[in-house]
Amino acid sequence: MNKSDLKPIGVFEQFAHINNIPRPSKREEKMIEYLKNWGESRDLETKVDATGNVIIKKSATPGYENRKTVILQSHMDMVCDKLVDVEFDFDKDPIKTYIDGDWLKAEGTTLGADDGIGVAIELAVLDADDIEHGPIECVFTRDEETQLTGASGMQAGFMNGDMLINLDSEDEGQFFVSCAGGRSTTATFEFTKENAPDNYFFIQGSIKGLTGGHSGDDIDKKRANAIKILGRFLYNELEKYDIRLAEFNSGKMHNAIPRDGKFIIAIPSDVKEEVRVDWNIFTSDVEDEFHVSDTEMIFNMESVEAQKILPKIISDNIIRALQGVDNGVFAMCQDEALSYMVETSSNVASVVTENSKMTVVSSQRSNVMSNLDNQCNTLKAIFELAGAKVVQNDGYPAWKMNPNSELTKIAVDTYKNLFGNEPIVKGIHAGLECGLFSERYPHLDMVSFGPTLRYVHTPEERLYIPSVQKVWNHLIEILKSIPLSK
């Protein structure tokens, strides 16, 4: 398959344009300007609110003027991650894509299909002149991937539709009608570094090549977390030797399972060989432990130059805290109909060492807000006991299923008519902007779906090409089937 064979042509042309525009989370200014100019150049009503969200409206086609107004919604930002040996500037460089069988991938970076493909579908709808539809509002939010800033800062009355289709889901044939709420916990350890004791030896341990993934969608897949693995080794050694942290760095985004990381420690010179032997045994055990989920992990240990280290009590407390914090699935949903789905989870996402502080960021999710509070308090208590200053953000709310959703029924019925099989209607453990929309626009009837993506938030991100045509055909059929406005 060549790029000229990609279908629908309009969608993939829009996606190609989008991938030429830098759009890291919180730095979407070029994308905002592109969308604004795009809409105005086509004489479509276009607005940008104070937060940076963009809305482009399109009038109904003849005969559909009295249908309910449909909002198509996606987020314009992307997670920016790359392989450690790839040189790439996400603020300047275009994403380079290639076709591998039925999959569209990027060369060593995230693809940006989360949620660039949703943006492309919306623009293709706005650009098309052969689709039957009622009034449409296409909404593009900013900064979804870090703090849902766009959705949380959206001005009152910015959207005026009756039904909302969120195009930010990753399994074609599955419709999402609820999502988890979430919050982030940031623990900061402050210190003044000091010289290592005499006759101490410095070692760097590192790991790379883990599968990683989305901290919501993939948290139940038993994938290795680089921070937890390195922290485990440090705790094991702390039980036997006087080890002292100099650096610990791992992870980049709060909503991704960290794939690589490294630490630098100082150890008594007379135990350096024992530590190396422990490392070899430990890494072999970890490779066996994750032999299904993480088949490409690479460990390395080497000596490094001496540097200043953390005070002993702070070094010990950090190592103990990283061993103790919850990571992974905390609880599954109790309702029998949703027993397959994670209810509550936590992901230790990043550790960053600076001159006088070390910052640990983790994210907690739950479909039950009281259990989200409980999980956040668990993380907070552990870090506070270790002496850290802890800050938790306000997060975002869960989106509860509407059992009487007219839009869900339309989506299911049109899907069955088009493809001859029953779609899956379910909840998702990841956060969706629908949670915030449901709080601020309680009248909105919502559903979320999209083409099939895999390994989002990692350089292995890929888009299943045939699924885009199915989503496009289905969306067109839904727009034709929207009922009259009462």
Side-chain angles (χ1 to χ4, degrees):
M1 183 186 295
N2 298 314
K3 288 187 178 180
S4 59
D5 299 322
L6 295 174
K7 291 183 171 49
I9 295 172
V11 173
F12 280 102
E13 285 180 346
Q14 297 295 344
F15 188 57
H17 292 313
I18 290 166
N19 270 346
N20 286 320
I21 304 168
R23 48 197 172 92
S25 299
K26 297 188 181 301
R27 303 194 301 279
E28 307 95 337
E29 287 76 16
K30 292 180 181 178
M31 191 65 194
I32 294 169
E33 187 67 18
Y34 175 81
L35 291 169
K36 181 176 180 292
N37 292 337
W38 192 97
E40 291 176 346
S41 69
R42 288 158 175 78
D43 295 323
L44 297 171
E45 182 181 347
T46 304
K47 294 181 180 178
V48 181
D49 73 5
T51 303
N53 301 306
V54 179
I55 188 169
I56 304 175
K57 299 182 180 182
K58 187 177 183 182
S59 301
T61 54
Y64 287 78
E65 294 87 352
N66 295 324
R67 303 295 178 101
K68 290 185 176 182
T69 299
V70 174
I71 302 165
L72 303 180
Q73 185 267 322
S74 57
H75 64 84
M76 66 181 80
D77 62 316
M78 65 174 284
V79 168
C80 298
D81 195 10
K82 65 182 184 67
L83 297 175
V84 293
D85 54 353
V86 170
E87 292 188 8
F88 193 89
D89 187 343
F90 283 100
D91 288 311
K92 298 178 181 178
D93 299 336
I95 303 295
K96 298 177 181 178
T97 62
Y98 67 97
I99 295 170
D100 182 3
D102 284 334
W103 296 90
L104 187 67
K105 302 178 182 179
E107 296 180 10
T109 70
T110 39
L111 175 64
D114 175 17
D115 186 25
I117 195 64
V119 174
I121 290 171
E122 288 190 63
L123 294 179
V125 168
L126 290 169
D127 220 22
D129 57 9
D130 58 350
I131 299 174
E132 298 172 294
H133 58 79
I136 291 175
E137 298 179 354
C138 285
V139 174
F140 310 90
T141 52
R142 72 178 306 176
D143 192 26
E144 186 269 353
E145 296 290 5
T146 59
Q147 294 178 323
L148 289 94
T149 303
S152 62
M154 185 178 288
Q155 296 175 343
F158 188 64
M159 303 188 300
N160 294 289
D162 307 290
M163 295 176 164
L164 184 145
I165 299 173
N166 169 274
L167 294 165
D168 188 25
S169 294
E170 298 158 9
D171 288 280
E172 189 282 320
Q174 297 186 13
F175 304 151
F176 295 94
V177 294
S178 71
C179 73
R183 202 174 300 157
S184 292
T185 298
T186 301
T188 303
F189 296 87
E190 297 179 343
F191 44 77
T192 299
K193 285 189 173 183
E194 59 191 36
N195 292 325
D198 292 339
N199 297 318
Y200 268 54
F201 187 78
F202 281 77
I203 289 178
Q204 175 177 284
S206 64
I207 185 174
K208 65 178 182 179
L210 302 185
T211 302
H214 190 289
S215 62
D217 286 349
D218 300 319
I219 201 69
D220 61 339
K221 295 180 173 61
K222 301 180 181 179
R223 293 177 183 172
N225 178 306
I227 295 170
K228 289 295 290 183
I229 286 178
L230 296 178
R232 277 169 60 177
F233 176 76
L234 293 175
Y235 184 80
N236 290 345
E237 300 308 286
L238 182 63
E239 291 290 282
K240 297 189 290 185
Y241 311 117
D242 178 29
I243 71 170
R244 304 282 289 277
L245 271 173
E247 291 184 19
F248 194 135
N249 291 287
S250 179
K252 300 178 182 69
M253 289 80 62
H254 82 285
N255 53 4
I257 301 168
R259 299 179 296 106
D260 51 65
K262 65 180 181 180
F263 61 73
I264 296 176
I265 55 173
I267 58 174
S269 295
D270 59 357
V271 301
K272 63 182 180 182
E273 294 308 320
E274 286 89 338
V275 172
R276 289 184 186 277
V277 170
D278 289 347
W279 175 259
N280 291 336
I281 295 171
F282 173 80
T283 56
S284 178
D285 289 343
V286 169
E287 288 172 344
D288 183 61
E289 184 178 332
F290 294 98
H291 71 280
V292 174
S293 62
D294 294 81
T295 58
E296 303 295 329
M297 59 174 62
I298 299 172
F299 292 93
N300 186 56
M301 178 168 276
E302 59 187 351
S303 60
V304 292
E305 293 295 320
Q307 58 178 275
K308 288 183 179 286
I309 60 175
L310 276 63
K312 178 172 174 53
I313 185 62
I314 296 175
S315 176
D316 290 357
N317 284 348
I318 290 172
I319 292 171
R320 290 184 176 122
L322 292 178
Q323 174 66 36
V325 292
D326 271 340
N327 189 82
V329 177
F330 180 74
M332 302 297 289
C333 289
Q334 294 189 38
D335 294 330
E336 187 174 347
L338 298 174
S339 60
Y340 63 88
M341 193 172 79
V342 177
E343 177 211 275
T344 306
S345 72
S346 183
N347 175 63
V348 186
S350 67
V351 180
V352 177
T353 304
E354 299 174 271
N355 288 334
S356 59
K357 66 180 181 179
M358 185 179 294
T359 305
V360 184
V361 176
S362 63
S363 62
Q364 292 73 55
R365 303 174 188 266
S366 184
N367 293 62
V368 179
M369 298 309 287
S370 60
N371 215 1
L372 177 63
D373 291 339
N374 175 49
Q375 186 72 348
C376 289
N377 287 339
T378 298
L379 272 288
K380 183 180 180 184
I382 290 172
F383 284 123
E384 286 179 335
L385 283 170
K389 295 179 180 179
V390 181
V391 176
Q392 294 178 322
N393 68 359
D394 293 334
Y396 51 90
W399 166 33
K400 294 183 179 179
M401 182 179 70
N402 173 10
N404 301 311
S405 168
E406 186 177 22
L407 180 57
T408 301
K409 184 179 186 304
I410 292 170
V412 170
D413 289 345
T414 51
Y415 191 91
K416 289 192 293 186
N417 290 338
L418 275 175
F419 306 119
N421 59 294
E422 190 93 22
I424 298 170
V425 179
K426 61 189 295 188
I428 189 171
H429 186 57
L432 291 172
E433 291 159 298
C434 296
L436 285 163
F437 297 148
S438 67
E439 204 174 49
R440 301 184 179 189
Y441 296 84
H443 69 283
L444 268 181
D445 190 359
M446 297 185 288
V447 69
S448 177
F449 59 83
T452 297
L453 301 175
R454 290 293 179 264
Y455 305 110
V456 297
H457 298 184
T458 81
E460 296 299 318
E461 180 184 358
R462 61 197 63 187
L463 168 66
Y464 187 56
I465 296 166
S467 70
V468 181
Q469 183 71 64
K470 291 188 71 174
V471 168
W472 176 257
N473 293 344
H474 183 218
L475 180 60
I476 292 172
E477 197 64 26
I478 290 175
L479 294 176
K480 287 171 56 179
S481 305
I482 297 299
L484 294 171
S485 179
K486 295 179 182 179

